[in-house]
Amino acid sequence: MTTTTTRFVQIAACAAAALLAVAASGAAAQGVGSVITQAVFNSMLPNRDNSQCPARGFYTYDAFIAAANSFPAFGTSGGSAELIRRELAAFFGQTSHETTGGTRGSSDQFQWGYCFKEEINKATSPPYYGRGPIQLTGQSNYQAAGNALGLDLVGNPDLVSTDAVVSFKTAIWFWMTAQGNKPSCHDVILGRWTPSAADTAAGRVPGYGVITNIINGGIECGVGQNDANVDRIGYYKRYCDMLGAGYGSNLDCYNQRNFAS
């Protein structure tokens, strides 16, 4: 191969790589990445790589965007910029609480999301204890998520805490998927859920609070004001403020019966 030919091949390869990079960044900018940019992600989760956090280095922006791109309706289909931003604030509000390393009552309480990637004591339904941003828990959830994603998460649950893209995918899958008598978190935050008569009788009303009920209602809902609800709401409000979205109504589930009752 001549020197001229070699140079041409090298230039062509560089141009192709540049085009791929532009295409990748363009895809992100057209979807969730148009709201959650790298800079916004870093500002929302300023301590995720803190040396005190066991998950440091795990939850990357690129992993989030790759996972989000597998769910085209996530963070893009609200019908208005307001609802799109509110959904993303709600998703990060709930998952930040699930993975928080913050100290309740401290001035920076709501700046420690994504500090953990797995349950601290690993005591809930082992080996299917909480992992990832949503803290996926229980064999049935690992089975359902694995089936949806085409992965054997029952046979290899550690994928959720060792592969960041898979980890984010399980969280977004849970967010987007209705299960049993529970609506999807996605439909709730976009105002697409209409409570049934049973929901109304149980005090379950549209709003951020019923998402908490979907995620952990058996422990946190119907028991009056509690620190976990306060933490979830605090993260949500911080992100709404950062993204320029209104909070909506019914932020807590203090007086809601859980979906299993």
Side-chain angles (χ1 to χ4, degrees):
M1 185 180 289
T2 66
T3 303
T4 302
T5 303
T6 301
R7 269 192 208 139
F8 176 79
V9 170
Q10 290 173 336
I11 291 169
C14 289
L19 285 171
L20 285 172
V22 169
S25 63
Q30 290 171 8
V32 170
S34 64
V35 177
I36 307 296
T37 63
Q38 175 81 69
V40 169
F41 187 80
N42 292 342
S43 295
M44 292 171 74
L45 308 171
N47 289 301
R48 74 183 190 282
D49 292 332
N50 190 291
S51 61
Q52 298 177 52
C53 290
R56 61 187 174 276
F58 182 67
Y59 294 116
T60 66
Y61 177 72
D62 288 344
F64 168 66
I65 292 297
N69 285 343
S70 295
F71 297 86
F74 170 69
T76 64
S77 59
S80 70
E82 168 80 9
L83 286 177
I84 285 171
R85 292 170 183 271
R86 184 180 296 170
E87 176 174 20
L88 292 168
F91 174 81
F92 278 101
Q94 293 287 353
T95 54
S96 289
H97 167 77
E98 292 291 331
T99 57
T100 189
T103 301
R104 286 171 185 166
S106 66
S107 60
D108 64 350
Q109 176 177 344
F110 308 121
Q111 297 180 28
W112 285 85
Y114 287 66
C115 189
F116 290 89
K117 61 179 181 176
E118 55 189 7
E119 186 179 334
I120 296 172
N121 57 19
K122 303 180 181 180
T124 309
S125 303
Y128 306 109
Y129 51 80
R131 293 179 176 89
I134 203 69
Q135 289 292 282
L136 191 73
T137 304
Q139 183 173 346
S140 62
N141 275 322
Y142 278 79
Q143 181 74 62
N147 289 346
L149 300 176
L151 299 167
D152 181 13
L153 297 183
V154 170
N156 189 7
D158 283 334
L159 269 177
V160 184
S161 56
T162 57
D163 185 316
V165 175
V166 171
S167 196
F168 273 114
K169 280 184 177 181
T170 62
I172 300 173
W173 164 81
F174 185 94
W175 187 265
M176 301 295 293
T177 305
Q179 298 188 61
N181 65 332
K182 297 179 180 181
S184 70
C185 304
H186 173 74
D187 281 346
V188 169
I189 202 64
L190 297 184
R192 296 174 179 169
W193 171 60
T194 300
S196 67
D199 291 317
T200 301
R204 295 189 291 265
V205 291
Y208 183 75
V210 88
I211 297 176
T212 298
N213 202 332
I214 292 167
I215 295 171
N216 202 29
I219 294 176
E220 297 178 31
C221 298
V223 293
Q225 184 169 336
N226 57 85
D227 288 342
N229 258 239
V230 170
D231 196 63
R232 292 179 192 274
I233 294 167
Y235 271 114
Y236 172 60
K237 286 185 172 181
R238 177 172 180 263
Y239 297 146
C240 281
D241 291 345
M242 292 180 71
L243 298 178
Y247 307 147
S249 54
N250 305 315
L251 303 189
D252 64 73
C253 64
Y254 299 151
N255 299 310
Q256 298 180 18
R257 294 202 299 277
N258 68 70
F259 281 93
S261 63

